[in-house]
Amino acid sequence: MEHEQTIPEQRKEEESTPEPDTSASPVPRGRRARRTTLLIAGAALLGVLAGTATGYAVQYDREPTPLPPLAQQTMDGPKPAAVNDATSRRSINANRWHKADEDLAKKLVPAPGGVQDVFSGLQSPDEFSIDHYEDPSGGVGGLIADGIRRIAAVHWSVDDRDFVEITLLQFQNRKGAERFQSGVNHYMPTQKYAGNQGREVPGVPADFGRLWIDSEAEKKPGYHPLRTGTAVVRRGDIVMHLKYTNNRGKIDEKAVAELAERQMERL
């Protein structure tokens, strides 16, 4: 009986005990940490911006620092010379040339002994155009568009029958050399020029060189028949243009090929 009487009393005590209030539970610590991190990052960013702006402001108000003087105040260079028996195109226009220009002329094959009318040296684009284009002004424009850098040539003649012209044309880059070579490859097979597809230059890949011998000699009343052999070979940014003319209408193809090989070996 006692046991049965105490049970209701315990239930009453349990029912009268208040439940814990969960509405006032504290904020989780993770959320507080994120807020603190954002505040620190924002403060750091503001500090960097403020420091940068202050640095610019300080630098703006300062007087500019002068650069140190050059070690060499004046550049030594040749002075243009007056025209006389000892001058040349290069000495008259000394300041138009660069020291590196000499290197291209040195790559030309030397003229053989016993030949006549020897010339070896640098050429201007207009001089080359006069000798190789029907429209010299258009030829100069094409060379400039291709990025011509410098031209060197060697000429000679043998017994007033064989006339040799070897020209090295250096461009600003390989694309310019490719365009020039492509232009020659386009017009040489036409009837107005060689009139045939030509042949490969020995030792040179087909895409880099070609040799043509005129199919027919050029005949005009009162003149000897002319026949020409032409070889065009590209190496890097340099194009070799070889023209071998005979005024008896005969061309030794082997001689043209060997001369082209000799020149390419020097490159």
Side-chain angles (χ1 to χ4, degrees):
M1 293 295 293
E2 292 179 358
H3 180 69
E4 292 179 354
Q5 291 178 353
T6 56
I7 290 176
E9 294 178 357
Q10 291 179 357
R11 288 179 180 176
K12 291 179 181 181
E13 292 178 359
E14 291 176 359
E15 291 177 355
S16 62
T17 303
E19 295 181 358
D21 184 7
T22 58
S23 61
S25 59
V27 178
R29 297 183 61 185
R31 187 177 300 174
R32 288 183 177 179
R34 284 196 297 270
R35 290 180 179 177
T36 303
T37 303
L38 291 175
L39 290 174
I40 295 174
L45 179 60
L46 289 175
V48 172
L49 293 176
T52 303
T54 302
Y56 275 110
V58 172
Q59 187 66 26
Y60 180 80
D61 293 332
R62 289 179 179 175
E63 292 294 331
T65 303
L67 295 173
L70 296 174
Q72 187 175 359
Q73 298 294 333
T74 59
M75 301 296 292
D76 295 333
K79 297 181 179 180
V83 179
N84 55 45
D85 295 339
T87 58
S88 62
R89 288 176 301 170
R90 176 158 188 167
S91 61
I92 294 173
N93 302 286
N95 294 326
R96 294 179 57 193
W97 305 96
H98 191 275
K99 291 183 178 180
D101 293 339
E102 299 176 355
D103 298 337
L104 186 64
K106 291 179 181 179
K107 295 181 184 295
L108 291 164
V109 295
V115 299
Q116 300 90 33
D117 301 327
V118 177
F119 166 80
S120 181
L122 297 169
Q123 267 192 336
S124 62
D126 56 336
E127 289 175 322
F128 177 83
S129 299
I130 290 173
D131 295 335
H132 294 84
Y133 291 95
E134 292 183 356
D135 178 14
S137 60
V140 172
L143 290 172
I144 294 175
D146 291 338
I148 191 65
R149 183 177 179 187
R150 52 195 174 191
I151 303 174
V154 57
H155 303 167
W156 71 79
S157 63
V158 181
D159 299 330
D160 291 329
R161 291 192 176 187
D162 297 311
F163 303 87
V164 178
E165 302 177 17
I166 302 177
T167 308
L168 300 179
L169 301 99
Q170 186 172 26
F171 296 83
Q172 297 291 343
N173 49 52
R174 295 190 180 190
K175 290 184 178 180
E178 290 175 358
R179 287 194 296 266
F180 179 85
Q181 180 196 14
S182 176
V184 177
N185 291 345
H186 178 73
Y187 69 73
M188 279 303 298
T190 62
Q191 194 63 35
K192 189 176 181 179
Y193 294 93
N196 58 76
Q197 297 298 322
R199 50 160 287 189
E200 296 181 4
V201 179
V204 177
D207 293 339
F208 291 86
R210 203 76 181 163
L211 186 153
W212 299 268
I213 303 296
D214 290 353
S215 299
E216 297 180 1
E218 180 182 350
K219 298 178 181 179
K220 292 183 179 181
Y223 294 91
H224 293 296
L226 296 179
R227 191 185 297 269
T228 301
T230 305
V232 176
V233 182
R234 176 173 58 87
R235 181 183 179 91
D237 58 358
I238 297 178
V239 176
M240 181 209 70
H241 188 285
L242 186 154
K243 187 177 180 181
Y244 193 112
T245 304
N246 177 271
N247 61 8
R248 296 297 187 271
K250 297 180 180 179
I251 289 290
D252 185 353
E253 183 176 338
K254 183 179 179 181
V256 178
E258 289 178 352
L259 189 56
E261 286 185 87
R262 284 175 51 201
Q263 179 58 77
M264 293 309 297
E265 288 174 357
R266 291 182 66 88
L267 291 176

